[in-house]
Amino acid sequence: MSNSQPDRAPTRLGILLSGRGSNFLAIADSIRTGRLPGVEIAVVIANVSDAPGLAAARAMGLPHAVLVSKGRRREDHDAGVAACLKQHNVDLVCLAGYMRLLSPGFVAQFPHRILNIHPSLLPAFPGLEAQEQAFAYGAKIAGCTVHFVDDELDHGPIVVQRAIPVLASDDAHSLAQRILAEEHQAYTEAIALVASGAYEIRGRRYVKRNS
Ligand code: GAR
């Protein structure tokens, strides 16, 4: 993995998304404003042709591709995505609202090189609509997690978590909005940590190295 030293090759991100793309836009903004030195977006890939995040990538002039997953075998679709990522020399894959499970064969091609963001404090509330799950459960603390992807859903080693209180005045929507604001900070923080290369993974634990 390259890092953020100016004399090193940049860390090239491959962003996978399915929808709105606000996490992608937050990452792009962090790069633009110098908060992710030595990091660049190599390609944005959407599995849904009308994903707003894809339109944003196009408008920004970033390399992008749409590989429609609907109706395709998971392994076949993932093989196309992996080929596209490799064609663009991607170092680190960032799932940014990519609402599709990855096949084990795909994950094995990018060991500890796939990050996911999830809108809960894992291991609480994996799966869909995590913010609504947390609200309905009556959780007092909510938040988001950026983690490496392994073969289990919302499961791999955790890089960054950010927590917020659930307010008495919250509804599920306001809670999701406040979690999203934390997500936008957390993803940049996690990418910077991983791109630095100054860490090791011990079992399931991401451990930062002092250097
Ligand atoms: C985000 O809240 C992200 O955490 C969530 O989808 C949303 C995508 O928003 N991902 C998951 O729930 C994955 N399990 P965005 O398209 O605006 O980034």
Side-chain angles (χ1 to χ4, degrees):
M1 174 75 63
S2 46
N3 75 9
S4 58
Q5 304 295 315
D7 55 340
R8 298 279 195 91
T11 297
R12 291 173 60 77
L13 306 183
I15 310 268
L16 304 193
L17 56 80
S18 303
R20 179 175 60 181
S22 74
N23 276 289
F24 149 58
L25 290 172
I27 294 165
D29 193 57
S30 291
I31 292 173
R32 189 180 59 78
T33 56
R35 279 174 288 158
L36 283 173
V39 174
E40 63 188 25
I41 294 176
V43 66
V44 177
I45 302 174
N47 68 322
V48 176
S49 59
D50 60 356
L54 177 70
R58 193 181 293 124
M60 292 163 75
L62 288 169
H64 58 277
V66 57
L67 298 169
V68 175
S69 56
K70 195 170 181 189
R72 300 200 70 207
R73 279 184 60 237
R74 192 174 308 286
E75 290 73 15
D76 294 344
H77 174 72
D78 285 0
V81 174
C84 186
L85 292 167
K86 287 178 180 170
Q87 189 188 334
H88 288 86
N89 296 315
V90 164
D91 301 302
L92 181 63
V93 181
C94 297
L95 309 185
Y98 189 64
M99 305 313 268
R100 185 157 169 101
L101 293 173
L102 298 172
S103 55
F106 181 94
V107 174
Q109 290 182 66
F110 301 94
H112 293 145
R113 290 289 174 271
I114 308 173
L115 289 176
N116 180 45
I117 187 150
H118 184 74
S120 77
L121 295 172
L122 289 172
F125 312 121
L128 294 175
E129 299 181 345
Q131 310 94 323
E132 288 80 352
Q133 290 187 57
F135 183 77
Y137 196 86
K140 298 297 182 204
I141 304 287
C144 63
T145 304
V146 183
H147 65 93
F148 287 111
V149 170
D150 65 12
D151 285 343
E152 290 178 52
L153 178 68
D154 299 329
H155 178 265
I158 291 169
V159 182
V160 169
Q161 287 188 309
R162 289 174 74 100
I164 56 169
V166 180
L167 306 176
S169 57
D170 267 327
D171 58 20
H173 177 74
S174 66
L175 180 62
Q177 288 299 112
R178 291 195 300 111
I179 293 172
L180 189 63
E182 299 301 320
E183 292 184 43
H184 295 163
Q185 303 299 320
Y187 224 152
T188 290
E189 193 184 332
I191 290 168
L193 288 168
V194 173
S196 78
Y199 66 93
E200 55 194 77
I201 296 171
R202 297 186 200 144
R204 333 188 356 102
R205 295 186 61 235
Y206 166 98
V207 181
K208 201 170 166 183
R209 268 201 308 261
N210 295 323
S211 60

